Amino acid sequence: MAVHYDASRRLFHLQTNDTSYAMCIVQGGYLAHLYWGARVRGLGPDRFFAFQPLVSFSPATVPEVPGLSLDVLPQEYPGYGTSDFRHPAYQVRFADGSTASELVYAGHRIVPGKPKLPGLPATYVESDDEAETLEITMRDPARDLEIVLSYTVFEKWNAIARSARIVNTGKQPIEVLRALSMSVDFPHDRYDLLQLSGAWARERYVHRRPLVPGMQAVESRRGASSHVQNPFVALLAKDADEDRGDVYGVSLVYSGNFTAGVEVDQFHSPRLFIGINPFDFGWRLEPGESFQTPEAVLVYSSEGLGGMSRKYHDLYRSRLCRGVHRDRERPVLMNNWEATYFNFNAEKIEAIARTAAELGIELFVLDDGWFGRRDSDNSSLGDWVVDRRKLPDGLDALARRINGLGLKFGLWFEPEMVSPDSELYRRHPDWCLHIEGRRRTEARQQLVLDLSREDVQDYIVKAVSDVLSSAPIAYVKWDMNRNMTEIGSALLPPERQRETAHRYMLGLYRVLERITTAFPHVLFESCSGGGGRFDPGMLYYMPQTWTSDNTDAISRLKIQYGTSIVYPVSAMGAHVSAVPNHQVGRVTPLETRGHVALSGNFGYELDLTKFTDAEKEIVKAQVGLYKEIRRLVQFGDFYRLLSPFEGNAAAWMFVSKDKREAFVVYVEMLKQPYAPKDRFRLKGLDPDLDYELDGDGIVYGGDELMNIGLPVPQFRGDFGSRAYRLRAR
Ligand code: DGJ
């Protein structure tokens, strides 16, 4: 059992294999947070959890209960305006215009497994014994409002998924102004806040900063989770590092505007939260209607950031990602984008594909430019009809010819967008997000289709499905290349305009559900100008994401390292591209580009026909190596060894679940003249096993490799790299 309820003390204790999370109903019916951290057997004397008594300026929330004030009580899902002055988890405007609210316990139920979240991506169970769900019903004693708090406890995965459902139980409409997915109050603030922030081409850099009194948060107002911030934050104990110490992660299964952060109050108590961004958000609930928040996934680790990451990896890889490709080895692909951009024809594509096939590559992906009259990014989004000028025999013939070479065929789409210069826009100028009487701001010469509309959803499903049914297409790259402006929908009444951005996400999820269900054999990869929507919401529909448009191996060290904080390696697309690199102009060795790319879902994105024979031999060897190690890379345990944010080198390794096999990559950035002899230590091996290094007959103990380490390799020139294979004897 993962959920325990002690009726005499009105206390809930949620337990995973190594985590405990506890709360209790205190006098007045409030739901107080007690504990989140390493697993404990039971929750001893009540005095253990003595709460801060009310202090000067704290309102006496319940006159009959001296000392109790919501101002200082640690809570599970706090409101505002009834004596807690901190940021609330929810806020509602009632029919009388008032927004104050509080919640008291009304009941609970414990159910096996995990109920689905209607219309939203979420973690799931494959059988009811994998998790247990606690639903606590809370009511506002003064208004017709009910909120059901849901906690699913994944015992084996050591994670708790939280969400809330807000129900209008009255006879008047109400407006939800704020509906976060979780909130937890911690007893002290000796933590740092970790976030993943960046920009296009430098996504998810790791930032760590000490908590200070007041608000510290990251958020997106871009209509997508974004390149700039990722829907995740963690609290790290001051002494926590990659391998040791308490870490508390919260990750939101959502792809739109979000907020995530901490408010540290007057008693240095941090309130950690994550959810839909209340900024520019509103949701009208008619009588009897409810609003379901996305879910937040909470992971505690006593084994530092690395331990937290591996828990997220395991859960997201196996109980968030879905479909037949979830557990299958992913193909080595060749993408023509950086090879040709828009400038290609059937002969060119086939020539690249032929070379790719000769070198062992398994999938050819035709990127942007195959439809409408798309010779640049100026036109044609929305017109998903093959361009016969470039591909005179059509997609089916091309795909079959590529299949004939021994490659599967994949195709790029950007279905959520419309070019003003397109047949679709000329036919349906009101199908994009817009506000009457305002400019429609373009980005990359395109507008965002209004996916809150059912007719638009139907159009996209049909347009994409028609293409997918017309040819043997085994893979889809689903791109999205701008953020939202003038967020308004022609079909929504004024009082619902602030619902548009969230309705868009629900519409997108509906479209993705329909298409991925109709084409279960297709491997879908999500993309948004690289990693502009690399989030758990998209991973539910598509088990992999194009990590970044920046394909430079050295830039990728930080991008992939930061991405791995939450996301499994099987989710990260990584390609070898040409030098000088198209994004940063850097020239790196082909070996290093290979080592970095084969640490993800491996592929190439360059014109292989221009390679020399010697370079082709290297590619062939890389592809061959990847095929041998990809199960380990994609589904093994990932350990970060050296951080590119902290030094001149980066290193990481993959260890098989049975610890009998490992693959290690070490990359040096700039060559250090006359460098001191140094070592780097491995992790995650079995100390009692002996490992043979690179099949050369020399054997090292797992204990030696983890405690003494390997000598740092020496390189000639900048950007050197070395990979190691370890196999137990
Ligand atoms: C942005 C993507 O990230 C690129 O890989 C490529 O597909 C372009 N869009 C095509 O327009």
Side-chain angles (χ1 to χ4, degrees):
M1 262 198 353
V3 178
H4 309 269
Y5 179 60
D6 178 343
S8 62
R9 296 164 70 196
R10 308 184 90 194
L11 189 148
F12 298 96
H13 185 182
L14 319 183
Q15 282 179 316
T16 75
N17 285 349
D18 60 21
T19 306
S20 280
Y21 185 105
M23 51 203 154
C24 70
I25 304 153
V26 297
Q27 281 175 299
Y30 302 106
L31 186 61
H33 177 77
L34 291 183
Y35 173 72
W36 178 23
R39 181 181 162 113
V40 290
R41 278 174 287 136
L43 292 154
D46 282 350
R47 71 168 79 143
F48 215 44
F49 295 105
F51 297 119
Q52 170 77 45
L54 89 159
V55 294
S56 290
F57 278 78
S58 286
T61 305
V62 189
E64 309 79 58
V65 189
L68 183 113
S69 178
L70 295 181
D71 186 22
V72 288
L73 185 75
Q75 290 162 76
E76 281 296 314
Y77 204 70
Y80 176 79
T82 53
S83 66
D84 188 342
F85 299 102
R86 295 165 288 183
H87 275 267
Y90 74 99
Q91 195 173 31
V92 165
R93 189 180 359 248
F94 296 100
D96 63 359
S98 71
T99 54
S101 177
E102 62 184 351
L103 297 174
V104 299
Y105 172 83
H108 75 268
R109 66 176 194 138
I110 299 169
V111 294
K114 182 171 195 278
K116 285 199 164 187
L117 296 195
L120 284 165
T123 53
Y124 60 90
V125 291
E126 286 198 330
S127 64
D128 276 353
D129 57 4
E130 289 183 353
E132 212 170 10
T133 299
L134 165 68
E135 289 179 351
I136 305 178
T137 301
M138 307 290 294
R139 279 203 194 110
D140 185 330
R143 288 289 182 279
D144 295 317
L145 174 72
E146 190 175 282
I147 300 189
V148 181
L149 305 179
S150 168
Y151 301 78
T152 296
V153 186
F154 287 93
E155 252 179 305
K156 177 176 137 210
W157 282 275
N158 290 301
I160 297 173
R162 279 190 63 177
S163 67
R165 190 170 74 248
I166 301 178
V167 191
N168 178 2
T169 52
K171 294 194 164 50
Q172 307 273 342
I174 61 173
E175 192 184 5
V176 179
L177 303 173
R178 182 180 177 93
L180 300 185
S181 298
M182 61 75 65
S183 174
V184 167
D185 293 333
F186 285 72
H188 66 80
D189 67 353
R190 294 185 298 279
Y191 295 108
D192 291 338
L193 178 67
L194 186 123
Q195 65 194 62
L196 303 175
S197 309
W200 175 80
R202 61 173 159 79
E203 296 92 337
R204 293 172 295 285
Y205 276 26
V206 181
H207 294 266
R208 180 175 177 166
R209 52 173 155 151
L211 290 184
V212 294
M215 271 295 273
Q216 39 246 286
V218 294
E219 56 181 314
S220 171
R221 294 177 296 277
R222 306 180 79 94
S225 50
S226 88
H227 300 89
V228 185
Q229 305 292 354
N230 198 257
F232 162 83
V233 287
L235 285 184
L236 276 69
K238 289 287 179 195
D239 60 357
D241 59 18
E242 180 62 25
D243 306 304
R244 277 165 290 271
D246 292 338
V247 177
Y248 302 83
V250 289
S251 160
L252 188 67
V253 187
Y254 189 60
S255 313
N257 292 338
F258 72 91
T259 181
V262 175
E263 182 183 15
V264 177
D265 78 358
Q266 55 182 330
F267 290 104
H268 304 278
S269 164
R271 173 167 286 176
L272 176 67
F273 58 84
I274 197 164
I276 290 180
N277 198 342
F279 178 87
D280 206 30
F281 166 81
W283 195 273
R284 189 178 157 93
L285 285 183
E286 296 297 333
E289 283 184 351
S290 59
F291 180 83
Q292 173 63 56
T293 73
E295 81 176 12
V297 177
L298 285 63
V299 165
Y300 161 78
S301 159
S302 61
E303 291 170 351
L305 211 47
M308 180 206 74
S309 298
R310 283 184 291 281
K311 289 177 181 175
Y312 275 120
H313 295 176
D314 281 342
L315 180 73
Y316 282 179
R317 197 163 39 199
S318 59
R319 292 297 179 270
L320 176 67
C321 294
R322 299 178 299 166
V324 296
H325 294 282
R326 186 189 75 181
D327 304 327
R328 274 196 201 155
E329 292 182 12
R330 310 288 164 73
V332 182
L333 70 79
M334 167 74 222
N335 178 303
N336 73 305
W337 178 242
E338 287 196 20
T340 65
Y341 295 102
F342 295 101
N343 186 17
F344 61 82
N345 55 27
E347 288 77 60
K348 181 72 204 167
I349 293 302
E350 281 178 61
I352 300 176
R354 192 167 306 110
T355 314
E358 282 160 15
L359 301 178
I361 293 171
E362 299 160 311
L363 164 71
F364 184 91
V365 179
L366 180 59
D367 210 278
D368 196 354
W370 59 267
F371 54 93
R373 297 181 73 78
R374 190 149 163 99
D375 297 328
S376 71
D377 53 18
N378 273 331
S379 81
S380 304
L381 293 173
D383 300 345
W384 300 108
V385 176
V386 68
D387 182 352
R388 297 257 171 192
R389 296 170 311 156
K390 290 182 187 170
L391 307 174
D393 301 335
L395 275 179
D396 183 45
L398 178 69
R400 285 182 196 284
R401 282 205 288 273
I402 286 181
N403 288 168
L405 297 169
L407 294 165
K408 292 202 177 304
F409 180 73
L411 198 60
W412 179 97
F413 287 91
E414 193 177 358
E416 299 162 66
M417 298 290 150
V418 62
S419 306
D421 181 7
S422 67
E423 291 309 316
L424 181 67
Y425 191 68
R426 284 185 275 276
R427 272 204 321 274
H428 297 290
D430 61 334
W431 272 16
C432 63
L433 293 178
H434 68 280
I435 297 171
E436 262 334 298
R438 278 203 181 280
R439 178 190 67 235
R440 298 175 179 197
T441 309
E442 293 177 20
R444 207 192 190 206
Q445 298 77 249
Q446 62 197 55
L447 298 166
V448 184
L449 284 174
D450 178 1
L451 269 77
S452 72
R453 298 172 60 133
E454 259 182 61
D455 48 2
V456 173
Q457 295 166 21
D458 290 344
Y459 173 78
I460 293 175
V461 172
K462 178 158 184 347
V464 174
S465 302
D466 285 351
V467 177
L468 295 185
S469 312
S470 73
I473 294 167
Y475 163 106
V476 164
K477 177 174 174 187
W478 185 289
D479 206 349
M480 191 285 278
N481 283 301
R482 63 158 291 177
N483 293 138
M484 297 178 184
T485 55
E486 294 86 33
I487 304 174
S489 173
L491 291 192
L492 289 175
E495 66 278 13
R496 287 195 180 273
Q497 286 296 323
R498 281 162 68 104
E499 299 175 11
T500 308
H502 182 58
R503 282 186 182 275
Y504 178 100
M505 297 319 306
L506 296 178
L508 171 63
Y509 292 147
R510 214 170 290 147
V511 165
L512 296 179
E513 185 70 32
R514 286 169 67 186
I515 295 179
T516 54
T517 309
F519 297 92
H521 66 284
V522 173
L523 172 59
F524 285 86
E525 175 156 335
S526 140
C527 173
S528 171
R533 215 165 47 183
F534 202 134
D535 58 61
M538 294 307 286
L539 279 183
Y540 179 71
Y541 302 97
M542 310 192 180
Q544 54 190 65
T545 303
W546 178 225
T547 313
S548 176
D549 272 349
N550 189 339
T551 55
D552 166 56
I554 298 305
S555 308
R556 277 290 185 122
L557 297 177
K558 286 184 177 163
I559 295 168
Q560 293 177 196
Y561 187 100
T563 304
S564 79
I565 296 287
V566 184
Y567 304 102
V569 172
S570 60
M572 282 189 230
H575 302 169
V576 172
S577 62
V579 289
N581 173 267
H582 292 194
Q583 291 77 41
V584 299
R586 195 164 7 233
V587 176
T588 50
L590 183 52
E591 288 79 0
T592 302
R593 281 176 275 155
H595 287 150
V596 175
L598 53 76
S599 299
N601 288 328
F602 189 45
Y604 290 82
E605 189 159 336
L606 44 73
D607 189 346
L608 283 176
T609 63
K610 295 193 174 136
F611 263 20
T612 62
D613 287 346
E615 287 171 321
K616 284 182 187 163
E617 281 310 309
I618 296 178
V619 170
K620 210 172 181 174
Q622 288 173 340
V623 172
L625 170 64
Y626 190 69
K627 287 178 182 170
E628 287 177 28
I629 60 166
R630 68 176 144 192
R631 180 143 285 281
L632 175 61
V633 168
Q634 294 168 1
F635 302 104
D637 287 334
F638 184 68
Y639 290 85
R640 294 179 291 263
L641 305 179
L642 296 173
S643 167
F645 294 99
E646 289 167 13
N648 186 41
W652 57 88
M653 67 187 286
F654 309 87
V655 183
S656 62
K657 292 280 176 197
D658 65 4
K659 299 197 179 284
R660 298 196 61 81
E661 216 193 327
F663 182 69
V664 185
V665 176
Y666 182 99
V667 182
E668 184 178 69
M669 289 180 236
L670 296 183
K671 170 74 189 162
Q672 296 305 299
Y674 213 43
K677 283 257 173 281
D678 201 358
R679 293 179 166 276
F680 70 107
R681 296 204 246 180
L682 307 191
K683 298 177 187 170
L685 300 172
D686 182 338
D688 297 325
L689 281 179
D690 289 332
Y691 295 89
E692 184 178 345
L693 189 69
D694 291 330
D696 61 5
I698 301 178
V699 169
Y700 300 79
D703 52 352
E704 288 175 276
L705 290 165
M706 292 195 290
N707 291 303
I708 304 173
L710 287 170
V712 161
Q714 299 294 315
F715 304 104
R716 180 145 184 83
D718 295 336
F719 318 129
S721 74
R722 161 116 207 241
Y724 309 78
R725 284 183 79 178
L726 293 164
R727 271 175 284 212
R729 297 244 301 203

